[in-house]
Amino acid sequence: MPISPLSARCCSLLLIAGFASPAMADNTDTASAVFAAGCFWCVEEAYDKVEGVVSTISGFSGGDVADPSYDQVVAGGTGHAEAVKVEYDPSRVDYDTLLYVFWRNVDPFAENRQFCDEGPSYRSALFPMDAEQRRLAEASREAVAERFDRQVATEISDFEAFYPAETYHQNFYNKNPLRYRFYKSACGRSDRLEEIWGDEAEASARS
């Protein structure tokens, strides 16, 4: 599937080294969740603002190729979506709140794309890790469909594996703020989210 010029952002216009990746916390009191909402740089930024989130890491999930590269994923054929693994403290934030943040940082009606980024690797998806996460994910999708009286394109697939992306993708929005802001603005992400969600757009907590 053709990839738009902005979709190739990581390997052309914006390819620079941003080497420090936030480490996943080694804490048995934390829990994990995986979300795909288009550009993983933007998803990292959204969840890093959530009180109770311990760390985020950009990567890939939902496909059938082990340890893929970014180039492989965006070229198609791996089945993976750009995703972010969120490590969080359940005593400070629950999965339901993380779902609230997810929906308000995604276009739930776009199929196999998000904003300017086209192709299945940019689809929106939830990857529940257990029966309770699946129950909450399905309930949240139903609520969004009912709110807008529209079919929601976001898929829900049981979590199988998560593969971290290359180091230069991690924490990109902090390491390369000018290039990141240019990409996000040019991609129209914030404008589209505001069009859908109004004052709730890009929420980092429940309203």
Side-chain angles (χ1 to χ4, degrees), residues 70-141:
Y70 172 82
D71 287 347
Q72 287 177 297
V73 172
V74 297
T78 68
H80 286 296
E82 285 198 14
V84 168
K85 188 173 186 180
V86 176
E87 192 85 357
Y88 64 100
D89 180 350
S91 70
R92 299 173 60 202
V93 63
D94 58 18
Y95 184 68
D96 220 13
T97 298
L98 298 181
L99 287 169
Y100 180 93
V101 173
F102 168 80
W103 290 113
R104 284 146 186 84
N105 284 274
V106 71
D107 179 346
F109 313 115
E111 185 174 359
N112 287 331
R113 64 174 298 137
Q114 281 293 300
F115 316 106
C116 68
D117 295 318
E118 301 178 1
S121 63
Y122 294 105
R123 69 189 185 274
S124 63
L126 296 166
F127 297 103
M129 293 185 162
D130 55 36
E132 179 64 5
Q133 283 194 359
R134 173 168 274 278
R135 182 186 71 80
L136 293 171
E138 290 178 346
S140 71
R141 183 171 64 178

Side-chain angles (χ1 to χ4, degrees), residues 58-71:
S58 289
F60 314 106
S61 196
D64 54 11
V65 174
D67 198 22
S69 68
Y70 172 82
D71 287 347

Side-chain angles (χ1 to χ4, degrees), residues 12-74:
S12 56
L13 176 65
L14 300 177
L15 178 58
I16 84 172
F19 292 104
S21 172
M24 300 301 289
D26 183 14
N27 187 337
T28 57
D29 294 329
T30 63
S32 299
V34 175
F35 304 98
C39 168
F40 45 30
W41 301 339
C42 299
V43 184
E44 268 198 42
E45 181 192 26
Y47 279 107
D48 281 346
K49 295 176 181 176
V50 178
E51 184 176 355
V53 166
V54 177
S55 63
T56 57
I57 186 167
S58 289
F60 314 106
S61 196
D64 54 11
V65 174
D67 198 22
S69 68
Y70 172 82
D71 287 347
Q72 287 177 297
V73 172
V74 297

